[in-house]
């Protein structure tokens, strides 16, 4: 059933159709389509007839024929490469088509990420995890993704472990590590430093965050999450209203995310932050130049009407003596505010970690049981997205489907006891 859901969601995404429009295109009732898209655990899910599946496949085939064949027959690794190398340093490496192709590969990874299937295409490969800055979610997520494809991980955190503390250059460190491992995932507190590591090697390198610069894999999994949520809700990416809230100056996740969102059409961005923590001007100009509406605000009241609310925590570790005027405990995305200003189908997101202490100016924990809160669906989606990145950069994406086998252990249908019905792993 999961493959049926993924097939239909991918079709709607590629055809850029809402559920209503897709049902009309197929000549079925909207309610019928909804039963094909429901998780099996709901009890109302129905298998799609073979004839309908063939019809959808024919539509997708005709659609693909209309695209530039030469462009899209080039391997994805080439189209998203960094200076000709299989490395991910910035979301600027993506076009809309290559991003959505990566999402289709992530869909193939879902049965592995959901613990239904096992795949060992990276057996024998070793990933080096170099985190010169503290991390839990990102570091473990990358390690889990690589391991679920059969690889192993050498994991290190902090400057003290490294010979860089003794004065070794980034170039030397990178070249030495490239002799030990088959892929590098690097987080560093200085913007541009991961690109320096990448220049010293030809093996895959992934930027896991370079100071206030970028966090490309986080933005990609955020985009993947938004698309899956919109597919479930019958919404389109084009024309969506995205509100970003919090520290937009140092929050590298929003820097990458606004770039990817700008690949779509007719977007509206509401950027809400204290005046001292506004989104960098060059990113606002980029979005405006691409024809999108950008509104800058200091008031959470301007969340009204947003399809997605993306909250970020204050990046105190990156401050250099700034005053944080206007960032009071009232600057908090909490349930009463969301209920008053947001729609029933608004999606609430956060890259984590969030400050869960009472009165913190972050995303409030009183939204934890609200089905609009997608933060754990975000983190869960990090595994198939990062698996897809490894598969593409290491050239094994075409081997996944034919190397799947059933797991031998039993997993819970719901990872979290308070997960919504559409969070099921079944």
């Amino acid at each position: 059933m999961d493959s049926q859901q993924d097939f239909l969601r991918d079709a709607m995404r590629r055809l850029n159709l809402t559920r209503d429009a897709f049902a009309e295109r197929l000549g079925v009732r909207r309610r019928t389509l909804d039963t094909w898209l429901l998780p099996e655990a709901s009890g109302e899910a129905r298998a799609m007839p073979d004839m309908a599946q063939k019809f959808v496949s024919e539509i997708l085939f005709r659609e693909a024929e209309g695209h530039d064949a030469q462009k899209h027959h080039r391997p994805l690794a080439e189209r998203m490469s960094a200076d000709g190398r299989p490395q991910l340093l910035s979301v600027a490496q993506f076009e809309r088509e290559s991003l959505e192709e990566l999402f289709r590969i992530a869909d193939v990874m879902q049965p592995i990420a959901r613990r239904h299937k096992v795949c060992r295409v990276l057996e024998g490969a070793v990933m080096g995890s170099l985190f010169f800055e503290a991390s839990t979610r990102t570091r473990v997520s990358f390690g889990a993704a690589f391991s679920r494809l059969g690889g192993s991980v050498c994991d290190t955190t902090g400057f003290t472990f490294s010979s860089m503390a003794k004065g070794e250059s980034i170039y030397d460190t990178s070249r030495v590590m490239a002799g030990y491992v088959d892929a590098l995932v690097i987080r560093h507190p200085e913007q541009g430093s991961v690109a320096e590591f990448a220049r010293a090697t030809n093996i895959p390198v992934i930027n896991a965050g370079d100071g206030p610069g970028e966090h490309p894999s986080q933005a990609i999994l955020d985009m993947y999450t938004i698309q899956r949520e919109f597919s479930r809700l019958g919404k389109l990416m084009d024309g969506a209203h995205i509100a970003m809230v919090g520290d937009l100056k140092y929050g590298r996740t929003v820097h990458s995310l606004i770039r990817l969102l700008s690949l779509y059409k007719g977007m509206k961005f509401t950027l809400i932050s204290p005046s001292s923590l506004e989104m960098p001007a060059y990113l606002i100009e980029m979005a405006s130049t691409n024809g999108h509406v950008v509104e800058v605000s200091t008031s959470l009241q301007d969340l009204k009407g947003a399809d997605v609310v993306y909250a970020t925590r204050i990046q105190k570790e990156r401050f250099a003596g700034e005053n944080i005027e206007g960032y009071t405990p009232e600057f908090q995305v909490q349930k009463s505010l969301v209920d008053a200003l947001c729609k029933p189908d608004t999606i609430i997101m956060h890259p984590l970690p969030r400050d869960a202490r009472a009165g913190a100016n972050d995303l409030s924990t009183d939204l934890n049981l609200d089905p609009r809160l997608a933060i754990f669906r975000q983190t869960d989606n990090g595994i198939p997205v990062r698996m897809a990145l490894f598969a593409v950069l290491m050239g094994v994406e075409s081997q996944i489907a034919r190397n799947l086998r059933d797991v031998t252990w039993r997993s819970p249908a719901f990872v979290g006891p308070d997960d919504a019905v559409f969070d099921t792993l079944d």
Side-chain angles (χ1 to χ4, degrees):
M1 188 66 71
D2 288 332
S3 60
Q4 173 179 298
Q5 294 170 36
D6 292 339
F7 173 70
L8 291 171
R9 285 170 177 158
D10 176 59
M12 285 189 288
R13 184 165 62 212
R14 291 166 67 179
L15 297 170
N16 199 27
L17 295 175
T18 64
R19 286 195 187 191
D20 287 332
F22 190 50
E24 184 176 349
R25 181 82 177 266
L26 298 180
V28 300
R29 294 181 178 179
R30 163 66 188 269
R31 174 59 185 161
T32 300
L33 176 62
D34 286 345
T35 62
W36 297 346
L37 287 162
L38 285 170
E40 189 174 4
S42 71
E44 298 181 14
R46 297 292 180 268
M48 177 173 53
D50 290 342
M51 185 62 69
Q53 183 166 358
K54 290 179 181 177
F55 184 43
V56 175
S57 298
E58 288 175 5
I59 293 173
L60 292 174
F61 178 75
R62 290 196 297 270
E63 181 77 11
E65 281 187 322
H67 290 164
D68 182 347
Q70 183 177 1
K71 176 180 178 181
H72 292 285
H73 285 165
R74 288 176 57 214
L76 179 56
E78 288 184 18
R79 283 181 276 135
M80 57 173 274
S81 66
D83 296 325
R85 295 187 178 101
Q87 299 171 342
L88 176 60
L89 307 180
S90 168
V91 295
Q93 295 168 222
F94 284 92
E95 297 178 348
R96 177 169 175 167
E97 291 79 11
S98 57
L99 181 66
E100 294 189 346
E101 185 172 339
L102 182 73
F103 290 165
R104 291 193 285 276
I105 296 169
D107 287 343
V108 175
M109 301 295 183
Q110 283 286 1
I112 309 170
R114 295 180 184 185
R115 305 112 194 245
H116 293 167
K117 298 290 183 179
V118 173
C119 185
R120 313 296 295 175
V121 292
L122 291 184
E123 187 169 10
V126 179
M127 182 195 94
S129 178
L130 301 184
F131 276 67
F132 298 94
E133 201 175 46
S135 171
T136 303
R137 281 150 299 279
T138 301
R139 181 172 52 84
V140 174
S141 177
F142 270 115
F146 203 83
S147 298
R148 289 200 184 278
L149 289 175
S152 56
V153 179
C154 291
D155 196 3
T156 51
T157 304
F159 269 107
T160 54
F161 79 86
S162 169
S163 291
M164 290 178 68
K166 305 172 186 175
E168 185 176 52
S169 69
I170 284 179
Y171 185 97
D172 286 3
T173 299
S174 179
R175 175 58 187 85
V176 168
M177 290 300 300
Y180 300 157
V181 301
D182 303 288
L184 282 170
V185 177
I186 303 169
R187 172 170 288 188
H188 196 280
E190 296 179 11
Q191 187 170 350
S193 56
V194 178
E196 288 189 53
F197 277 94
R199 283 192 287 270
T201 178
N202 291 321
I203 70 169
V205 173
I206 296 179
N207 179 3
D210 60 336
E214 284 202 55
H215 193 348
S217 68
Q218 177 70 47
I220 294 167
L221 75 87
D222 290 339
M223 286 292 300
Y224 182 70
T225 300
I226 294 171
Q227 287 227 355
R228 286 181 70 87
E229 295 290 314
F230 276 21
S231 176
R232 176 175 61 82
L233 296 167
K235 292 184 173 185
L236 296 178
M237 281 297 303
D238 290 329
H241 178 189
I242 313 293
M244 298 183 180
V245 183
D247 183 352
L248 307 185
K249 180 177 181 179
Y250 294 108
R252 57 193 170 200
T253 60
V254 290
H255 297 171
S256 294
L257 183 57
I258 196 171
R259 285 178 179 272
L260 290 183
L261 286 164
S262 293
L263 296 175
Y264 291 79
K265 298 176 182 177
M267 306 296 286
K268 177 181 178 181
F269 298 108
T270 301
L271 308 177
I272 305 173
S273 69
S275 56
S276 60
L277 297 177
E278 289 181 354
M279 181 76 76
Y282 74 92
L283 290 170
I284 295 175
E285 182 179 357
M286 177 275 301
S288 300
T289 301
N290 287 344
H292 306 300
V293 175
V294 182
E295 296 180 352
V296 177
S297 171
T298 59
S299 173
L300 289 176
Q301 295 300 310
D302 289 324
L303 289 177
K304 189 171 184 179
D307 295 299
V308 176
V309 174
Y310 191 97
T312 63
R313 72 178 178 88
I314 187 169
Q315 306 283 310
K316 294 179 181 177
E317 66 272 21
R318 307 199 193 286
F319 279 32
E322 290 99 331
N323 248 341
I324 325 173
E325 293 180 8
Y327 216 82
T328 65
E330 288 72 37
F331 203 93
Q332 182 186 57
V333 178
Q334 53 187 260
K335 185 168 175 57
S336 60
L337 184 79
V338 170
D339 288 342
L341 299 175
C342 296
K343 299 177 289 187
D345 61 357
T346 295
I347 303 303
I348 313 295
M349 301 175 66
H350 192 294
L352 300 182
R354 59 173 166 166
D355 191 338
R357 292 170 292 188
N361 42 6
D362 204 337
L363 181 64
S364 174
T365 56
D366 68 0
L367 282 159
N368 280 4
L369 299 182
D370 193 312
R372 292 172 291 187
L373 187 74
I375 59 174
F376 301 118
R377 300 195 286 280
Q378 270 178 275
T379 57
D380 290 346
N381 283 332
I383 300 297
V385 165
R386 288 173 172 134
M387 289 170 68
L389 287 170
F390 284 128
V392 170
L393 295 177
M394 301 187 76
V396 297
E397 70 271 28
S398 63
Q399 301 177 37
I400 303 299
R402 64 176 182 266
N403 281 281
L404 296 176
R405 57 183 175 83
D406 292 338
V407 300
T408 56
W409 66 90
R410 184 175 64 186
S411 299
F414 298 90
V415 174
D418 298 320
D419 288 352
V421 66
F422 42 83
D423 287 335
T424 178
L425 292 182
D426 289 337

